[in-house]
Amino acid sequence: MSPEEKRNSKLGVQIVKALKARHFDAYYCATKDEAAEKIMSLIPKDDVVAWGGSMTMETLGIIERVKKTNNVIDRAQAKSPEEKTTLMRNALLCDTYLMSTNAITEDGELVNIDGTGNRLAAMMYGPKSVVIACGMNKVVKDMPAAVSRARNYAAPVNAHRFELQTPCSTTGSCADCKSQQSICTYIVCTRLSRPENRIKVVLIGETLGF
């Protein structure tokens, strides 16, 4: 086991404890393969599944797997902007919603940033279960560091991914813009899971996502 793996495993166990104290269902998996199996075990076969944009879930192969095992709401299949909006709204009432998080503190709080708000709306209310996959590269010390990571790292990277015309896509750094294409429309801190265990967090001892 490498020094990084040792550090991740030690810290990961502590974060799982912190998450459980905040009423999340939480797990630590050392590898991507282990994490993928854990996530699939958290999705009942008769659940309707939807997801927010998540490079972590895609890298783990979860999106392709659930398409084969479950009924899904996939906005990528929309044939028009109007149909895409309808699918995104329908996803708010799915059984299991899949996503990642932009940052997680050592004390077990989550910070997420969103342009449209559909992902954060689903996390907060609607789906019966929310499953979050998070690489240990997203772990930060405290809330100010979590907000900073979301705005100054995750937002510019995702602005490039979606080819948005924002200041951060030009400079690589947040300019606190008010652009209509701003990816920082909503910033949400999730302190607790309510009801208990509705939000499930799978920490992964590897570098994944933004």
Side-chain angles (χ1 to χ4, degrees):
M1 185 181 290
S2 71
E4 183 180 15
E5 290 170 336
K6 290 179 181 178
R7 175 264 186 186
N8 285 346
S9 65
K10 297 288 186 182
L11 182 56
V13 169
Q14 296 305 311
I15 297 173
V16 166
K17 289 181 181 178
L19 286 163
K20 288 183 176 180
R22 294 179 178 276
H23 314 298
F24 295 91
D25 189 13
Y27 306 87
Y28 178 78
C29 296
T31 67
K32 292 192 289 287
D33 290 344
E34 183 184 345
E37 295 311 310
K38 171 53 68 176
I39 290 167
M40 292 302 298
S41 76
L42 297 173
I43 307 171
K45 290 293 192 292
D46 58 350
D47 272 15
V48 175
V49 180
W51 51 87
S54 171
M55 293 303 296
T56 300
M57 285 292 184
E58 290 185 19
T59 300
L60 293 172
I62 300 299
I63 303 304
E64 290 306 313
R65 288 179 68 171
V66 295
K67 288 179 181 179
K68 297 174 182 176
T69 59
N70 292 74
N71 290 323
V72 302
I73 300 172
D74 183 2
R75 65 185 181 184
Q77 298 303 310
K79 296 179 175 58
S80 67
E82 294 76 18
E83 184 181 1
K84 181 179 179 180
T85 297
T86 297
L87 290 174
M88 289 166 69
R89 287 175 173 161
N90 290 344
L92 299 178
L93 294 176
C94 72
D95 297 306
T96 294
Y97 194 85
L98 307 174
M99 58 179 287
S100 187
T101 184
N102 295 129
I104 181 169
T105 71
E106 291 183 10
D107 194 38
E109 294 182 287
L110 312 179
V111 169
N112 281 281
I113 200 164
D114 210 353
T116 303
N118 61 296
R119 183 175 64 105
L120 303 187
M123 179 181 66
M124 290 186 287
Y125 191 82
K128 296 175 184 177
S129 175
V130 176
V131 181
I132 294 174
C134 178
M136 287 293 288
N137 54 303
K138 296 184 178 182
V139 171
V140 297
K141 190 67 179 177
D142 53 25
M143 185 54 59
V147 173
S148 178
R149 185 187 192 282
R151 298 202 70 177
N152 295 303
Y153 180 73
V157 171
N158 280 307
H160 280 290
R161 184 159 68 100
F162 295 124
E163 299 183 340
L164 302 178
Q165 301 303 310
T166 60
C168 70
S169 69
T170 300
T171 67
S173 179
C174 178
D176 196 28
C177 76
K178 297 178 178 63
S179 166
Q180 272 289 290
Q181 289 197 329
S182 174
I183 205 165
C184 301
T185 308
Y186 305 97
I187 303 172
V188 171
C189 165
T190 306
R191 296 182 55 252
L192 308 168
S193 174
R194 179 177 177 184
E196 186 172 36
N197 296 330
R198 173 181 173 267
I199 301 177
K200 302 158 180 65
V201 180
V202 179
L203 278 172
I204 307 155
E206 299 192 30
T207 296
L208 289 164
F210 312 129

